[in-house]
Amino acid sequence: MSNAHDIDVPVLIVGAGGAGLTASMLLSDLGVETLTISSALTTSALPKAHVIQQRAMEVFRHAGVADDIYARSAPPQNLAATAWYAGLAGDDPDAGRRIAKQESWGAGGADPEWLIASPCLQANLPQIRLEPVLRAHAESKSPGSIRFGQELVELTQDDSGVTARIQDKSSGETYTVRAQYLLGCDGGRTVGRQVGVELEGMRDILYTASVHFTADLSRWATDPDVLIRWMWPPHVGLMSVLVPMGPERWGPDSEEWVYHHSYPGEDTRLWDDEKIIAGMRDALGIPDFAPEIHMITRWSFEALVAPQMRVGRVFLVGDAAHRHGPTGGLGLTTAIQDSRNIAWKLAAVLAGRAGDELLDTYEQERLPVARRNVARSTENAMHHLAIGGAMGLDPAATPEANWANLRRVWSAAPGDAEFRRRIRDMIAVQSQEFDEHNVEYGYRYESDAVVGDGTPAPRNVDEVRVYVPDTRPGSPVPHAWLTADDDSRLAIVDLIRPGEFILIADGADDRWNAAAADVQAALGVVIRAVRIGHANGDYLDHRLSWLRRRGVSADGAVLVRPDGVVAWRTDGADDPEQSLRDAVSAVLSLRVPVAS
Ligand SMILES: Cc1cc2nc3c(=O)[nH]c(=O)nc-3n(C[C@H](O)[C@H](O)[C@H](O)COP(=O)(O)OP(=O)(O)OC[C@H]3O[C@@H](n4cnc5c(N)ncnc54)[C@H](O)[C@@H]3O)c2cc1C
């Protein structure tokens, strides 16, 4: 057998969805050559994910893509809330009436806790429009490296690399690619199976049909600030979901929409387009509804996680390693964060600046996040169904009986007060989906790429909703707006350049600059020392935001990894150079630090 391969590349990325395109961009910025293939002929034809959380937008800010996403995203005022309704339209005077409304995901920038957390607001851009933006940036960073219509059909690996057999779908011909590492960003279709990893958990929990259409719903849709509409038409007794898809307008006058409807058990209507459309007409309460249909898709709600995310030189990324339901908007954003986590580690190992064990920390860090997000998404979905039950809505009951129950939500009768309070409380619990700030932003890593300092976690009154900014190692570096010498404003995360660590010391403390320069010279890894202070330093912290959260004394320092995660902190050191060198060596799995 010949050793010749048609293509040799350091990293092969299989899949060009959110995970693969993000990995391509980040690795290009890190100077790593990649080849990205997708079996599809182009980017997603389905709207799919649309919610892009703050921490994911920081990844895009870092890659220089955030402005293009915000320019196309729903504006903040159209995604500030979510609401529950008695369907959309219909003859009943209460048809379409709002049951409850609550703020969602930082209330479009109105919630100060979310503004404190990050320089980025949440965005909302369906995958059908997001992926072309990511593709354009990925292609411009690495021309010719993103190839569609190329399917991975076989994968083998040995001690020095991975060999992939790929089929060109237009010609049917196959060729081989030899890579040092492979990122499986294929949504779980091929790579996992090839390396013997089977996702574990619950499959086919609920079947859903999604209809993407163009229609004018502005006569019936209300509440311009509402992004996701949870509709419980009493004559149906089941929930449907309606989401505006823009592309120009995102309120009740949105041009495009997606309608989701879940079917119980093995309901055969799911497989018949006409029946899905008829069901949609009925649920929306518009008998002559004739939208322009773009696509009808079926998908099943799953709660699956891979038992491992690394197999030798192959890494499972995004949906290849974990598949969630959409409730909570955690699928795509988790995929983006996976890519961010693996990219800088791969670049460091490929450049010989880190030990191979650094790559083990990908799984150590991301698997717990994946498990939690799968659990949260599932719980969010179940609770939606429980709300319907609490309102007394039942698909087996008559429309009259369901209406009679639901009207108690709006009733002023004293006998209904307890019922109303219960519904209000049930819906309030759903803020675990729409205000899940600590799940999205605050999660913390414990791994060999973090030097823990044994300090206890700050007291947190709500582990799902409350993010407490903090520099405990493993946490995202707390956000602060800083002022540069030229009076320009930038965020702490903007100080991080691809592949570089930053070491933050007090504005008046020079000792850490020398330590960073020495360790950089010894280990070959860039450590940019920055002094941040209220009255002096390289950057001014006018609002004292960093001072409030830095968690170390004026003699101390905070080391931040290239992915914005605090790697180590100290209150001060007798020998700053040695303590920094020990910390960086540990983070990079450098077992024998190079002597200076
Ligand atoms: C209806 C719906 C709504 C959703 N809403 C949300 C939401 O609001 N927020 C959220 O965060 N998530 C949501 N999700 C989930 C989200 O869409 C996924 O988590 C996300 O697409 C995962 O991205 P990925 O890049 O890992 O995988 P994918 O997007 O599945 O991309 C996989 C890529 O791999 C390619 N591929 C597959 N097999 C091969 C092969 N053998 N060779 C080469 N290429 C291959 C495919 O062509 C594709 O390019 C939703 C999903 C659905 C179905």
Side-chain angles (χ1 to χ4, degrees), residues 58-72:
E58 285 183 19
V59 179
F60 292 140
R61 182 180 174 102
H62 183 66
V65 191
D67 288 348
D68 279 356
I69 294 173
Y70 284 126
R72 290 164 177 78

PDB file of all heavy atoms in Angstrom, residues 58-72:
ATOM      1  N   GLU A  58     -18.896  36.487  21.849  1.00  0.00           N
ATOM      2  CA  GLU A  58     -17.506  36.890  22.137  1.00  0.00           C
ATOM      3  C   GLU A  58     -16.523  36.123  21.240  1.00  0.00           C
ATOM      4  O   GLU A  58     -15.497  36.665  20.835  1.00  0.00           O
ATOM      5  CB  GLU A  58     -17.172  36.652  23.615  1.00  0.00           C
ATOM      6  CG  GLU A  58     -17.807  37.680  24.527  1.00  0.00           C
ATOM      7  CD  GLU A  58     -17.417  37.496  25.986  1.00  0.00           C
ATOM      8  OE1 GLU A  58     -16.406  36.830  26.276  1.00  0.00           O
ATOM      9  OE2 GLU A  58     -18.152  38.006  26.853  1.00  0.00           O
ATOM     10  N   VAL A  59     -16.838  34.858  20.941  1.00  0.00           N
ATOM     11  CA  VAL A  59     -15.982  34.086  20.034  1.00  0.00           C
ATOM     12  C   VAL A  59     -15.981  34.764  18.666  1.00  0.00           C
ATOM     13  O   VAL A  59     -14.936  34.942  18.027  1.00  0.00           O
ATOM     14  CB  VAL A  59     -16.481  32.624  19.906  1.00  0.00           C
ATOM     15  CG1 VAL A  59     -15.596  31.841  18.948  1.00  0.00           C
ATOM     16  CG2 VAL A  59     -16.534  31.951  21.268  1.00  0.00           C
ATOM     17  N   PHE A  60     -17.180  35.172  18.228  1.00  0.00           N
ATOM     18  CA  PHE A  60     -17.276  35.822  16.924  1.00  0.00           C
ATOM     19  C   PHE A  60     -16.638  37.219  16.939  1.00  0.00           C
ATOM     20  O   PHE A  60     -16.095  37.671  15.931  1.00  0.00           O
ATOM     21  CB  PHE A  60     -18.740  35.887  16.475  1.00  0.00           C
ATOM     22  CG  PHE A  60     -19.321  34.527  16.154  1.00  0.00           C
ATOM     23  CD1 PHE A  60     -20.611  34.193  16.528  1.00  0.00           C
ATOM     24  CD2 PHE A  60     -18.569  33.577  15.491  1.00  0.00           C
ATOM     25  CE1 PHE A  60     -21.145  32.936  16.239  1.00  0.00           C
ATOM     26  CE2 PHE A  60     -19.085  32.313  15.193  1.00  0.00           C
ATOM     27  CZ  PHE A  60     -20.374  32.002  15.568  1.00  0.00           C
ATOM     28  N   ARG A  61     -16.700  37.893  18.071  1.00  0.00           N
ATOM     29  CA  ARG A  61     -16.020  39.192  18.190  1.00  0.00           C
ATOM     30  C   ARG A  61     -14.512  38.988  18.018  1.00  0.00           C
ATOM     31  O   ARG A  61     -13.846  39.721  17.300  1.00  0.00           O
ATOM     32  CB  ARG A  61     -16.345  39.773  19.575  1.00  0.00           C
ATOM     33  CG  ARG A  61     -15.752  41.155  19.861  1.00  0.00           C
ATOM     34  CD  ARG A  61     -16.174  41.566  21.279  1.00  0.00           C
ATOM     35  NE  ARG A  61     -15.555  42.809  21.710  1.00  0.00           N
ATOM     36  CZ  ARG A  61     -16.170  43.987  21.728  1.00  0.00           C
ATOM     37  NH1 ARG A  61     -17.422  44.082  21.341  1.00  0.00           N
ATOM     38  NH2 ARG A  61     -15.548  45.071  22.142  1.00  0.00           N
ATOM     39  N   HIS A  62     -14.014  37.951  18.673  1.00  0.00           N
ATOM     40  CA  HIS A  62     -12.591  37.619  18.617  1.00  0.00           C
ATOM     41  C   HIS A  62     -12.181  37.303  17.169  1.00  0.00           C
ATOM     42  O   HIS A  62     -11.075  37.659  16.743  1.00  0.00           O
ATOM     43  CB  HIS A  62     -12.381  36.406  19.537  1.00  0.00           C
ATOM     44  CG  HIS A  62     -10.981  35.952  19.686  1.00  0.00           C
ATOM     45  ND1 HIS A  62     -10.008  36.708  20.301  1.00  0.00           N
ATOM     46  CD2 HIS A  62     -10.372  34.802  19.319  1.00  0.00           C
ATOM     47  CE1 HIS A  62      -8.874  36.039  20.295  1.00  0.00           C
ATOM     48  NE2 HIS A  62      -9.063  34.882  19.705  1.00  0.00           N
ATOM     49  N   ALA A  63     -13.066  36.644  16.431  1.00  0.00           N
ATOM     50  CA  ALA A  63     -12.739  36.249  15.047  1.00  0.00           C
ATOM     51  C   ALA A  63     -13.055  37.365  14.043  1.00  0.00           C
ATOM     52  O   ALA A  63     -12.867  37.175  12.836  1.00  0.00           O
ATOM     53  CB  ALA A  63     -13.516  34.986  14.683  1.00  0.00           C
ATOM     54  N   GLY A  64     -13.569  38.495  14.526  1.00  0.00           N
ATOM     55  CA  GLY A  64     -13.857  39.614  13.623  1.00  0.00           C
ATOM     56  C   GLY A  64     -15.138  39.449  12.817  1.00  0.00           C
ATOM     57  O   GLY A  64     -15.312  40.074  11.773  1.00  0.00           O
ATOM     58  N   VAL A  65     -16.062  38.625  13.315  1.00  0.00           N
ATOM     59  CA  VAL A  65     -17.291  38.345  12.570  1.00  0.00           C
ATOM     60  C   VAL A  65     -18.519  38.982  13.230  1.00  0.00           C
ATOM     61  O   VAL A  65     -19.594  39.053  12.635  1.00  0.00           O
ATOM     62  CB  VAL A  65     -17.535  36.808  12.510  1.00  0.00           C
ATOM     63  CG1 VAL A  65     -18.622  36.448  11.536  1.00  0.00           C
ATOM     64  CG2 VAL A  65     -16.263  36.074  12.148  1.00  0.00           C
ATOM     65  N   ALA A  66     -18.352  39.423  14.480  1.00  0.00           N
ATOM     66  CA  ALA A  66     -19.522  39.838  15.256  1.00  0.00           C
ATOM     67  C   ALA A  66     -20.287  40.976  14.580  1.00  0.00           C
ATOM     68  O   ALA A  66     -21.526  40.950  14.532  1.00  0.00           O
ATOM     69  CB  ALA A  66     -19.088  40.239  16.672  1.00  0.00           C
ATOM     70  N   ASP A  67     -19.591  41.948  14.027  1.00  0.00           N
ATOM     71  CA  ASP A  67     -20.295  43.097  13.433  1.00  0.00           C
ATOM     72  C   ASP A  67     -21.195  42.652  12.284  1.00  0.00           C
ATOM     73  O   ASP A  67     -22.319  43.143  12.135  1.00  0.00           O
ATOM     74  CB  ASP A  67     -19.296  44.146  12.928  1.00  0.00           C
ATOM     75  CG  ASP A  67     -18.637  44.887  14.088  1.00  0.00           C
ATOM     76  OD1 ASP A  67     -19.130  44.743  15.229  1.00  0.00           O
ATOM     77  OD2 ASP A  67     -17.629  45.572  13.850  1.00  0.00           O
ATOM     78  N   ASP A  68     -20.708  41.711  11.473  1.00  0.00           N
ATOM     79  CA  ASP A  68     -21.520  41.216  10.355  1.00  0.00           C
ATOM     80  C   ASP A  68     -22.750  40.469  10.868  1.00  0.00           C
ATOM     81  O   ASP A  68     -23.817  40.498  10.231  1.00  0.00           O
ATOM     82  CB  ASP A  68     -20.703  40.271   9.468  1.00  0.00           C
ATOM     83  CG  ASP A  68     -19.817  41.045   8.500  1.00  0.00           C
ATOM     84  OD1 ASP A  68     -19.917  42.283   8.488  1.00  0.00           O
ATOM     85  OD2 ASP A  68     -19.037  40.394   7.781  1.00  0.00           O
ATOM     86  N   ILE A  69     -22.600  39.790  11.989  1.00  0.00           N
ATOM     87  CA  ILE A  69     -23.746  39.056  12.551  1.00  0.00           C
ATOM     88  C   ILE A  69     -24.760  40.039  13.126  1.00  0.00           C
ATOM     89  O   ILE A  69     -25.956  39.952  12.842  1.00  0.00           O
ATOM     90  CB  ILE A  69     -23.272  38.036  13.603  1.00  0.00           C
ATOM     91  CG1 ILE A  69     -22.429  36.956  12.918  1.00  0.00           C
ATOM     92  CG2 ILE A  69     -24.465  37.419  14.351  1.00  0.00           C
ATOM     93  CD1 ILE A  69     -21.761  35.970  13.853  1.00  0.00           C
ATOM     94  N   TYR A  70     -24.266  41.011  13.907  1.00  0.00           N
ATOM     95  CA  TYR A  70     -25.199  41.988  14.475  1.00  0.00           C
ATOM     96  C   TYR A  70     -25.939  42.758  13.374  1.00  0.00           C
ATOM     97  O   TYR A  70     -27.110  43.102  13.509  1.00  0.00           O
ATOM     98  CB  TYR A  70     -24.467  42.983  15.386  1.00  0.00           C
ATOM     99  CG  TYR A  70     -24.090  42.416  16.739  1.00  0.00           C
ATOM    100  CD1 TYR A  70     -22.784  42.459  17.209  1.00  0.00           C
ATOM    101  CD2 TYR A  70     -25.057  41.832  17.565  1.00  0.00           C
ATOM    102  CE1 TYR A  70     -22.438  41.942  18.452  1.00  0.00           C
ATOM    103  CE2 TYR A  70     -24.719  41.313  18.813  1.00  0.00           C
ATOM    104  CZ  TYR A  70     -23.410  41.370  19.246  1.00  0.00           C
ATOM    105  OH  TYR A  70     -23.083  40.853  20.473  1.00  0.00           O
ATOM    106  N   ALA A  71     -25.236  43.024  12.263  1.00  0.00           N
ATOM    107  CA  ALA A  71     -25.870  43.796  11.177  1.00  0.00           C
ATOM    108  C   ALA A  71     -27.062  43.042  10.589  1.00  0.00           C
ATOM    109  O   ALA A  71     -28.002  43.659  10.092  1.00  0.00           O
ATOM    110  CB  ALA A  71     -24.843  44.085  10.085  1.00  0.00           C
ATOM    111  N   ARG A  72     -27.043  41.709  10.660  1.00  0.00           N
ATOM    112  CA  ARG A  72     -28.143  40.913  10.086  1.00  0.00           C
ATOM    113  C   ARG A  72     -29.110  40.411  11.147  1.00  0.00           C
ATOM    114  O   ARG A  72     -30.201  39.929  10.836  1.00  0.00           O
ATOM    115  CB  ARG A  72     -27.558  39.704   9.336  1.00  0.00           C
ATOM    116  CG  ARG A  72     -26.826  40.080   8.072  1.00  0.00           C
ATOM    117  CD  ARG A  72     -25.959  38.932   7.583  1.00  0.00           C
ATOM    118  NE  ARG A  72     -25.285  39.225   6.332  1.00  0.00           N
ATOM    119  CZ  ARG A  72     -24.193  39.975   6.208  1.00  0.00           C
ATOM    120  NH1 ARG A  72     -23.664  40.534   7.286  1.00  0.00           N
ATOM    121  NH2 ARG A  72     -23.642  40.198   5.028  1.00  0.00           N
TER     122      ARG A  72
END
